[in-house]
Amino acid sequence: MNVKTAHVRSFGCQMNKLDTNLVANALARAGFKFTSRASEADVVLVNTCSVRSHAEERVFSLLGHLKHIKKSKKGLIVAVFGCMAQRLGKELLEHEAVNIVCGPAQLPQLVGLVSKAMENKAGAVAVSSNIRSKHRWEEFNALDDFECAYDSALGETPRQAYVRIMHGCDNFCAYCVVPYVRGPEVSRAPETIIEQIRKLAESGIKQVTLLGQKVNAYRYTAGDRTYGLADLLYMVSDVDGIEWIRFVTGHPKNFGVEIFEAMAELPKVCPYLHVPAQSGSDRILKAMNRGYTCAEYLELLDKARAIVPTIAIAGDFIVGFPGESEEDFEATVKLVKRAEYKNCFVFKYSPRPGTRAEDKLIDDVPMEVKKRRNTELLAIQEQISARSNKKFLGQKVKVLVEGMSKKSHLNSTEKPDQPQLIGRTATDYIVVFNGPVELAGRFVDVKITRTSALTLFGELDNG
Ligand code: 5AD
Ligand code: SF4
């Protein structure tokens, strides 16, 4: 039989990386081989993100390129899946390059759709017709089976895996497209999650990252017991072989202290928290429908630090939300200075079709102002990180090695067996050092010799 070749691309968040891994795994089981070049593939699969218009523009530019390749390669099949597929549905099939459109809830069907399209060359659309319905049990069950069957996914980073603990989101932040493309919040059963993690541990996985749009909202009721994220952390901690446990992303609203208590008590749970504030202005937070004030957010950070003194905290901010004045922005600057984040991500507001902000508010902050606020906030955080990272100088840190750093091609040729490697600490600091590539997927100690705002640099400590 003629072996078919697939080229897989992924845009967007960790949830998308997980979905891409599951799809790649399903393709491999179906006998597909992989290529890093679209022009050599029989099928190109693109996992897409809708969170900002820029993410969608990048996909359209890739589709333009694929349309070009198709001119000289008539049989090429292009499948678009993920959030954009759910958002645009049939409309995407009208793009000359696209053969298959498959939503996040229809992933179990994707390989079948690809095989069929290779035979009959017909287009196909599989998306949820009523994504906000809580009763799509058939879809959820099929997804659960799919995740369990393909859990030892072909991840990019050796010995690390993502595990979804919940689907969707019910928060309806005014700017956010997620509830409309990933549907309602549904938590997965703890025994399914644990079973999956046990299998991952048996296959050599050492770090699991539990994923959800609002992981601290995880709730699952079985009989007379309701499980929350903290219960799950205790259960995952009991799995032999798993050494580090992370969870992302947290939502500041209703963050139970039991989660921090579990973090303090369980050595496997990494003292790291990603908890987006989005703004420091109460007026904007209200317009965003975030459900907390700036003071409540800061109280949460104080509580986390009181219970877990070693905790490192990361945040997200949106600048230029409709109506954001200089005064509102100053409140955000004040919050960033006060929060002492390890790092934070800053995004320029991007109106998303179908969201409340796009529907009801005017995108009235000019692009130059959004850009200026973005640069200013990042510069403030950079100063904070640069200063704070100096505390690592001369210290030894434990790192889980991810692999070669992207800059390893700049290495000196004197020691070709010691390329530049990259890893992360339990607190999620990025550490760069030289060492043998075989260390990927292993825990090592690194002595820090130099620091910058984003990175710690050091030497392997073999002692
Ligand atoms: N515009 C800009 N940033 C956004 N985010 C989510 N939606 C938008 C939007 N419409 C940001 C938030 C979120 C992160 C994943 O993306 O900060 O935490
Ligand atoms: Fe979007 Fe808010 Fe849900 Fe996060 S919690 S995905 S920001 S709606």
Side-chain angles (χ1 to χ4, degrees):
M1 202 192 83
N2 200 354
V3 176
K4 298 292 182 194
T5 307
H7 173 73
V8 187
R9 292 285 301 270
S10 191
F11 294 87
C13 64
Q14 282 130 324
M15 199 64 102
N16 266 19
K17 280 193 185 149
L18 164 65
D19 285 343
T20 303
N21 287 346
L22 293 171
V23 167
N25 205 295
L27 285 165
R29 296 254 196 116
F32 283 82
K33 294 275 168 272
F34 295 94
T35 170
S36 57
R37 303 172 80 129
S39 58
E40 288 171 1
D42 300 305
V43 53
V44 176
L45 300 102
V46 189
N47 195 0
T48 58
C49 169
S50 287
V51 85
R52 280 172 292 276
S53 64
H54 180 63
E56 295 201 345
E57 282 151 21
R58 287 174 66 205
V59 170
F60 277 120
S61 125
L62 173 64
L63 290 178
H65 175 62
L66 293 173
K67 185 176 107 183
H68 205 69
I69 296 181
K70 268 192 155 179
K71 287 204 176 108
S72 54
K73 217 177 160 186
K74 290 272 180 284
L76 176 68
I77 299 293
V78 174
V80 178
F81 66 109
C83 296
M84 242 175 112
Q86 177 60 42
R87 193 178 86 72
L88 295 169
K90 276 209 306 288
E91 208 181 308
L92 259 182
L93 203 57
E94 282 161 25
H95 192 289
E96 265 178 83
V98 180
N99 301 88
I100 296 167
V101 179
C102 177
Q106 285 70 29
L107 286 194
Q109 300 170 34
L110 185 52
V111 174
L113 290 172
V114 166
S115 304
K116 205 153 151 203
M118 284 178 145
E119 280 164 26
N120 67 11
K121 307 288 171 229
V125 179
V127 294
S128 302
S129 52
N130 183 7
I131 188 88
R132 289 300 309 168
S133 160
K134 287 222 183 230
H135 305 289
R136 295 161 27 239
W137 296 117
E138 263 177 43
E139 279 176 12
F140 291 126
N141 291 340
L143 271 176
D144 245 22
D145 292 346
F146 184 65
E147 304 214 32
C148 293
Y150 297 107
D151 55 10
S152 53
L154 302 167
E156 284 166 25
T157 26
R159 306 211 179 264
Q160 302 191 19
Y162 293 118
V163 177
R164 184 178 351 251
I165 63 168
M166 58 197 297
H167 298 274
C169 182
D170 288 345
N171 220 69
F172 291 98
C173 299
Y175 51 80
C176 188
V177 77
V178 170
Y180 307 95
V181 289
R182 291 253 175 199
E185 244 168 78
V186 179
S187 294
R188 298 180 66 212
E191 67 267 22
T192 316
I193 297 169
I194 297 300
E195 181 57 31
Q196 203 177 332
I197 294 177
R198 234 181 243 128
K199 276 207 268 169
L200 287 169
E202 277 163 22
S203 73
I205 292 294
K206 295 201 176 325
Q207 173 180 288
V208 285
T209 304
L210 310 179
L211 293 184
Q213 304 298 335
K214 291 158 61 187
V215 269
N216 48 313
Y218 176 86
R219 288 276 171 292
Y220 190 91
T221 304
D224 54 5
R225 182 156 180 210
T226 297
Y227 298 81
L229 177 63
D231 301 297
L232 215 47
L233 293 175
Y234 282 94
M235 291 161 83
V236 182
S237 267
D238 283 339
V239 178
D240 287 337
I242 298 297
E243 295 189 43
W244 278 3
I245 305 161
R246 298 179 185 280
F247 56 84
V248 283
T249 299
H251 191 292
K253 199 170 65 176
N254 307 329
F255 214 118
V257 285
E258 68 280 1
I259 297 170
F260 302 129
E261 283 161 2
M263 196 181 261
E265 196 175 315
L266 300 169
K268 291 184 182 181
V269 177
C270 294
Y272 168 70
L273 190 66
H274 181 200
V275 61
Q278 311 297 11
S279 171
S281 153
D282 286 344
R283 206 175 66 81
I284 296 295
L285 286 171
K286 190 149 193 270
M288 285 178 166
N289 190 33
R290 289 292 289 173
Y292 53 86
T293 61
C294 179
E296 283 165 343
Y297 179 81
L298 284 168
E299 239 171 72
L300 173 74
L301 301 197
D302 288 346
K303 230 181 324 185
R305 286 176 168 134
I307 302 172
V308 189
T310 55
I311 202 166
I313 302 175
D316 287 1
F317 287 91
I318 296 176
V319 292
F321 186 79
E324 187 187 64
S325 64
E326 280 308 313
E327 208 183 336
D328 293 318
F329 177 65
E330 281 314 312
T332 298
V333 168
K334 208 167 142 201
L335 169 57
V336 168
K337 287 184 177 162
R338 163 77 169 71
E340 287 276 330
Y341 292 110
K342 166 190 157 282
N343 69 306
C344 68
F345 303 94
V346 184
F347 305 101
K348 296 184 278 296
Y349 171 68
S350 161
R352 304 312 297 134
T355 59
R356 292 179 189 181
E358 193 263 353
D359 191 28
K360 302 226 158 53
L361 305 172
I362 300 163
D363 180 20
D364 56 358
V365 179
M367 187 45 103
E368 315 87 76
V369 177
K370 286 181 185 169
K371 281 187 182 158
R372 182 197 18 98
R373 291 181 186 167
N374 187 317
T375 313
E376 202 176 314
L377 207 56
L378 282 176
I380 291 165
Q381 179 57 43
E382 195 175 315
Q383 274 184 5
I384 297 171
S385 301
R387 200 180 328 117
S388 150
N389 287 356
K390 290 208 171 82
K391 65 176 178 284
F392 287 102
L393 279 172
Q395 277 195 26
K396 198 163 80 174
V397 294
K398 183 175 171 185
V399 168
L400 177 54
V401 185
E402 292 179 0
M404 290 228 264
S405 98
K406 291 212 174 78
K407 293 200 178 132
S408 49
H409 63 282
L410 300 176
N411 281 338
S412 82
T413 43
E414 278 165 36
K415 286 190 181 169
D417 57 334
Q418 302 268 311
Q420 197 173 65
L421 302 179
I422 189 162
R424 276 172 202 264
T425 65
T427 42
D428 203 53
Y429 283 87
I430 297 170
V431 180
V432 167
F433 58 99
N434 288 81
V437 71
E438 294 74 37
L439 290 180
R442 304 245 300 264
F443 289 96
V444 297
D445 287 330
V446 177
K447 189 156 178 221
I448 302 304
T449 52
R450 185 161 68 85
T451 64
S452 74
L454 295 177
T455 316
L456 311 179
F457 301 87
E459 287 159 6
L460 256 181
D461 186 295
N462 296 317

